[in-house]
């Protein structure tokens, strides 16, 4: 008896567990058009991925705003797929009803409900916007026409056009705004395809395109008429300079299906005699007023515009000499986050600092570009002691408040103990990789003791003329070496002078890499490498830190060094071309060759002008 009870309990647990697994796999979703016109019918459908559902109920408040012309009708469907010899089957039930709106407005449909077994499930919430009736349809009805407007062969003017919708025409430099290209088709026309779409290159802007999954027709009311609209392109733009910048118009070819109105044909023939008509549609250009950023920029401002937050973390505060410490800085927000420069972290002088590791995670939406930028700074202390890393500052311009905001982290205090082998242990490091830090010695080497060997001073060489000349030559060589060494040390201590002298060599190395990318036709990487070479050359040649490398500052510094305006403009034009080409449509290879030649020529002219 006891065994039977245990068996029944296990069976009940198994059934309950199976029901829970199945319940977790149930999906129940509703769908409806986002917008309908007053007086028109539309379908409301609910789909559940099982066939044993029961007691389906529409939202209770549905009848307050809509007339139910046809009650929900269930329809069951089955499908089977065979992939790589493995077959899968699925079943679903669809409940479809037909509604007609009672009044205009935007209405939220509460979830529908149904039961599967003893469990009740709810669908998602839907929103339906009811537009006013089309004025042309009302005029036809008043004149004795039917409920639906007759098909028209007039597909120009107000019946078919394209709009460029700009969210804001007056913005700050680096402030993002949305540009939408939308095709509008009269409700009585049948749009079948869209081809040969061409849009402006957005010169003067950083463009971040929003990915559109598919072209979906949505009903909208404009100027008293209802149109079928489809979004062709959406892009978030960030102006790179102030002033008035024009965005060119777009072009698209719309293909429509219209009825052939031939009076000589019978009614049956004309009913099926349709034809496709293609029309090119253009949008008008728009001018954007870009305002310069206001004065009073904080010292830690490097061009960030938008709304941001910042947090920091350190992996350890107590360590030994020659062990690595990492500071992780996380910046989140909405704005020109892709162009943010790394905030400066001031490590103590006795720390060996490595290049930061940057990770970006961005999402482009109609509200702008939002995401997270993570920067990891790694350094290695070489001596024991107590050190402090000052607070890290990051400033941005808040477009909503119209003010500059500064975010700061807390300072970090480090306690560094004596490392293995002592602070004076010899160390070798490869500054290109954080893994290649090694000790060459860890202890005092033993002195080898050999048998004493005496040399007689009566030998001919000692005390001879050659003996004296050898000492004299050694002394002279030592003095010459000392003078040269002191001069080299003095020159090397002037970091700015060293950077200036090596600016051309560093730029040539980077341009060799750019030439390699040019031959491989890697367009985006080529423009990035050329841009890096130009900014690096200007930073070294003008002795300017990376955080101050802005076009206005560079132009001022070049003037101080006696560079004429034409050469300065040539340099900045190459920088602008590289920045724009990284986000513009593909350029011809000839343009890349020309840019590479112009870059080499400009650096050569600069070397002849600024001589140190």
């Amino acid at each position: 008896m006891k065994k039977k009870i245990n068996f029944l309990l296990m069976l009940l647990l198994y059934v309950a567990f199976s029901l829970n697994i199945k319940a977790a796999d149930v999906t129940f979703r509703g769908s409806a058009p986002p917008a309908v016109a007053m007086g028109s019918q539309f379908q409301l459908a609910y789909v559940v991925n099982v066939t044993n559902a029961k007691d389906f109920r529409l939202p209770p408040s549905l009848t307050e705003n809509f007339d139910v012309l046809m009650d929900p009708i269930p329809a069951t469907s089955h499908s089977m797929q065979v992939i790589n010899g493995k077959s899968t089957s699925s079943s679903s039930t669809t409940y479809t009803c037909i509604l007609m709106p009672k009044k205009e407005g935007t209405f939220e449909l509460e979830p529908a409900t149904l039961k599967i077994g003893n469990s009740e499930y709810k669908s998602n919430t839907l929103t339906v916007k009811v537009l006013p009736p089309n004025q042309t349809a009302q005029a036809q009805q008043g004149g004795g026409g039917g409920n639906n407007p007759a098909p028209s062969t007039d597909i120009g003017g107000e019946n078919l056009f394209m709009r460029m919708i700009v969210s804001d025409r007056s913005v700050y430099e680096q402030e993002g705004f949305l540009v939408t290209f939308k095709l509008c088709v009269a409700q009585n026309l049948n749009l079948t395809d869209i081809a040969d779409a061409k849009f402006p290159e957005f010169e003067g802007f950083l463009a971040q395109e929003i990915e559109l999954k598919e072209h979906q027709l949505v009903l909208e009311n404009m100027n008293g008429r209802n149109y079928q609209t489809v979004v062709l392109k959406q892009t978030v733009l960030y102006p790179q300079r102030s002033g008035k910048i024009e965005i060119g118009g777009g072009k698209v070819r719309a293909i429509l299906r219209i009825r052939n109105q031939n009076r000589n044909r019978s009614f049956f023939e004309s009913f099926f005699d349709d034809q496709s008509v293609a029309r090119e549609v253009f949008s008008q250009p728009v001018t954007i007023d870009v305002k310069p950023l206001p004065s009073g920029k904080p010292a830690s401002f490097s061009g960030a515009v938008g709304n941001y937050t910042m947090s920091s973390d350190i992996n350890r505060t107590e360590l030994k000499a020659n062990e690595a410490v990492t500071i992780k800085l996380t910046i989140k927000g909405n704005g020109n986050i892709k162009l943010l420069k790394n905030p400066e972290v001031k490590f103590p002088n006795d720390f060996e600092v490595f290049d930061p590791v940057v990770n970006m995670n961005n999402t482009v939406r109609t509200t702008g570009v939002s995401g997270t930028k993570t920067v990891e700074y790694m350094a290695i202390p070489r001596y024991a002691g107590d050190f402090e890393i000052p607070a890290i500052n990051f400033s941005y311009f808040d477009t909503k408040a119209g003010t500059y905001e500064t975010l700061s982290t807390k300072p970090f205090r480090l306690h560094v103990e004596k490392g293995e082998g002592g602070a004076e242990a010899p160390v070798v490091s490869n500054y290109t990789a954080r893994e290649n830090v090694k000790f060459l010695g860890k202890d005092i080497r033993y002195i080898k003791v050999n048998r004493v060997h005496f040399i007689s001073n009566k030998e001919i060489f000692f005390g001879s003329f050659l003996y004296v000349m050898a000492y004299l030559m050694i002394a002279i060589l030592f003095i010459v070496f000392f003078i040269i060494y002191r001069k080299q040390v003095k020159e090397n201590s002037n970091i700015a002078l060293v950077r200036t002298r090596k600016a051309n060599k560093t730029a040539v190395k980077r341009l060799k890499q750019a030439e390699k990318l040019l031959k491989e036709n890697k367009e985006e990487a080529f423009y990035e490498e050329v841009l890096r070479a130009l900014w690096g050359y200007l930073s070294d040649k003008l002795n300017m830190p990376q955080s101050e490398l802005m076009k206005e500052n560079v132009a001022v510094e070049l003037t101080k060094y006696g560079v004429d305006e034409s050469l300065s403009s040539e340099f900045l034009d190459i920088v602008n071309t590289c920045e724009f080409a990284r986000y513009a449509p593909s350029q011809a290879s000839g343009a890349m060759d020309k840019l590479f030649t112009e870059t080499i020529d400009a650096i050569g002219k600069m070397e002849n002008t600024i001589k140190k």
Side-chain angles (χ1 to χ4, degrees), residues 231-245:
V231 176
L232 304 175
K233 184 182 181 68
Q234 282 189 315
T235 307
V236 180
L237 299 181
Y238 293 91
Q240 300 299 296
R241 55 183 172 84
S242 58
K244 295 188 179 297
I245 307 178

Side-chain angles (χ1 to χ4, degrees), residues 140-164:
Q140 290 179 1
Q141 290 176 13
N147 293 332
N148 296 320
S152 172
T153 58
D154 183 12
I155 54 176
E158 296 183 354
N159 290 327
L160 178 65
F161 56 90
M162 184 167 65
R163 299 175 61 198
M164 178 167 53

Side-chain angles (χ1 to χ4, degrees), residues 42-173:
F42 67 95
Q43 285 188 349
L44 175 64
Y46 292 91
V47 180
V48 60
N49 63 338
V50 296
T51 57
N52 60 340
K54 60 183 180 179
D55 198 16
F56 173 80
R57 295 178 183 272
L58 288 171
S61 61
L62 181 69
T63 56
E64 295 179 5
N65 303 309
F66 300 91
D67 288 326
V68 181
L69 303 183
M70 186 181 75
D71 290 329
I73 298 176
T76 303
S77 63
H78 303 274
S79 64
M80 178 177 290
Q81 288 182 337
V82 178
I83 301 176
N84 296 329
K86 185 178 180 180
S87 62
T88 57
S89 60
S90 61
S91 303
S92 64
T93 304
T94 303
Y95 298 87
T96 306
C97 61
I98 297 178
L99 306 179
M100 177 179 284
K102 293 181 179 180
K103 53 186 176 182
E104 302 173 11
T106 301
F107 305 103
E108 187 176 275
L109 305 185
E110 299 173 348
T113 60
L114 54 71
K115 288 185 177 181
I116 302 174
N118 295 325
S119 301
E120 183 179 87
Y121 294 88
K122 292 184 178 182
S123 70
N124 55 310
T125 302
L126 298 173
T127 301
V128 178
K129 184 176 183 180
V130 180
L131 304 174
N134 202 339
Q135 289 182 353
T136 56
Q138 286 183 328
Q140 290 179 1
Q141 290 176 13
N147 293 332
N148 296 320
S152 172
T153 58
D154 183 12
I155 54 176
E158 296 183 354
N159 290 327
L160 178 65
F161 56 90
M162 184 167 65
R163 299 175 61 198
M164 178 167 53
I165 304 170
V166 179
S167 61
D168 195 348
R169 300 196 181 193
S170 179
V171 296
Y172 284 101
E173 186 178 351

Side-chain angles (χ1 to χ4, degrees), residues 165-190:
I165 304 170
V166 179
S167 61
D168 195 348
R169 300 196 181 193
S170 179
V171 296
Y172 284 101
E173 186 178 351
Q174 295 292 346
E175 178 184 1
F177 62 96
L178 179 66
V179 175
T180 303
F181 290 87
K182 183 178 291 186
L183 181 65
C184 304
V185 184
Q187 191 177 0
N188 58 349
L189 294 177
N190 182 18

Side-chain angles (χ1 to χ4, degrees), residues 22 210 280 309 487 511 581:
K22 291 182 179 179
I210 299 175
E280 284 192 343
T309 60
K487 182 180 179 182
L511 287 176

Side-chain angles (χ1 to χ4, degrees), residues 30-43:
S31 62
V36 296
M38 186 65 186
S40 61
Q41 304 174 8
F42 67 95
Q43 285 188 349

